[in-house]
Amino acid sequence: MGFTSELWESGAATYERIRVHPFVQGLTSGDLDRAAFRHYIAQDSHYLREYARALNVVAAKAPTPEGTALFGEHATNANAVERALHAGFLDELGGVDQPASPTTVAYTNFLLATAHTGSFAEGLAAVLPCYWIYARVGADLVDRSSPDPLYARWIATYGGDGFQKIVDDVLTVTDRHAEGLGPAERAAMLHHYATAARYEWMFWDAAHRRETWPIPLA
Ligand SMILES: Cc1ncc(C[n+]2csc(CCO)c2C)c(N)n1
């Protein structure tokens, strides 16, 4: 692997913190409070809508038609997953109509701002932890699965080979694109990647704490 191994390194310590987070460990042990999982799914539904927008911006900036098609397809897929979450998990858990939490707003605003104002490379680095960290978490959890069928279903979504193939396609695009980049742009990518990885930890942690706005929205 090329530059993507440097990107992984910039978020490796954060990934380790995600792996041992009580929310993630609670999925496999089955001990995770259903209310925290419901909070996570409701927030993820907000997240996926905005993530799809960010991916479409990355798609628009891709220098090749293949890149535009790839990220456009993934944006459509993120919207489809959002609808499936509503039809599946949220119906079973009892639908919750909660506003996007401070962490969800911060993470999605970071993705949209970086995709809109940055280069293709910068947007790509910002959206990459979402793919890569979920594939690693999925792979880590899939063998142990969960005694809770609901959590087992969630784990199977991200732990399968189908999802790994999606991530591999994005890593190939990233390595190929990075070959033509200078040190300043590579440094910006490392920075955005590490930032998004931290937001991924914060997203699990916010669900675990069932984070809400300290001042209720009117
Ligand atoms: C907070 C959060 N981060 C990452 C994902 C995983 N994910 C969402 S869209 C997508 C790729 C395109 O379909 C991936 C891997 C998630 N669900 N929620």
Side-chain angles (χ1 to χ4, degrees):
M1 252 190 224
F3 186 59
T4 52
S5 47
E6 284 181 51
L7 288 172
W8 180 264
E9 271 316 301
S10 78
T14 304
Y15 176 72
E16 192 47 34
R17 296 267 305 262
I18 290 171
R19 211 179 57 77
V20 300
H21 193 285
F23 187 105
V24 175
Q25 290 299 318
L27 285 169
T28 37
S29 69
D31 290 340
L32 178 67
D33 193 328
R34 281 279 177 109
F37 189 67
R38 190 198 298 130
H39 184 107
Y40 165 82
I41 295 288
Q43 289 304 316
D44 211 38
S45 159
H46 290 292
Y47 173 84
L48 288 165
R49 267 201 318 274
E50 302 307 317
Y51 187 77
R53 286 202 173 97
L55 277 186
N56 271 324
V57 178
V58 173
K61 292 190 181 187
T64 63
E66 291 76 20
T68 302
L70 183 73
F71 293 108
E73 277 163 25
H74 293 177
T76 304
N77 188 42
N79 274 324
V81 171
E82 195 269 325
R83 280 192 298 276
L85 284 185
H86 265 290
F89 291 111
L90 280 183
D91 282 356
E92 204 162 325
L93 290 162
V96 271
D97 196 14
Q98 53 176 247
S101 71
T103 297
T104 303
V105 171
Y107 186 9
T108 55
N109 281 353
F110 161 74
L111 293 172
L112 283 164
T114 308
H116 274 285
T117 64
S119 62
F120 169 67
E122 290 185 81
L124 182 55
V127 298
L128 188 54
C130 163
Y131 289 95
W132 208 354
I133 288 177
Y134 268 58
R136 285 287 178 104
V137 168
D140 204 48
L141 300 190
V142 78
D143 289 340
R144 282 173 287 155
S145 190
S146 177
D148 185 320
L150 198 68
Y151 301 161
R153 219 164 86 208
W154 184 91
I155 291 168
T157 312
Y158 291 110
D161 292 344
F163 186 60
Q164 188 55 50
K165 156 93 176 74
I166 291 173
V167 179
D168 288 344
D169 285 347
V170 176
L171 293 176
T172 303
V173 168
T174 310
D175 274 328
R176 202 170 295 151
H177 188 72
E179 279 169 19
L181 300 177
E185 193 135 37
R186 285 179 174 227
M189 286 180 79
L190 289 166
H191 184 71
H192 296 324
Y193 183 93
T195 300
R198 287 203 300 270
Y199 274 127
E200 283 289 340
W201 182 89
M202 289 164 66
F203 200 89
W204 299 108
D205 194 61
H208 197 237
R209 292 183 285 113
R210 280 167 257 171
E211 181 192 53
T212 54
W213 290 91
I215 299 173
L217 300 176

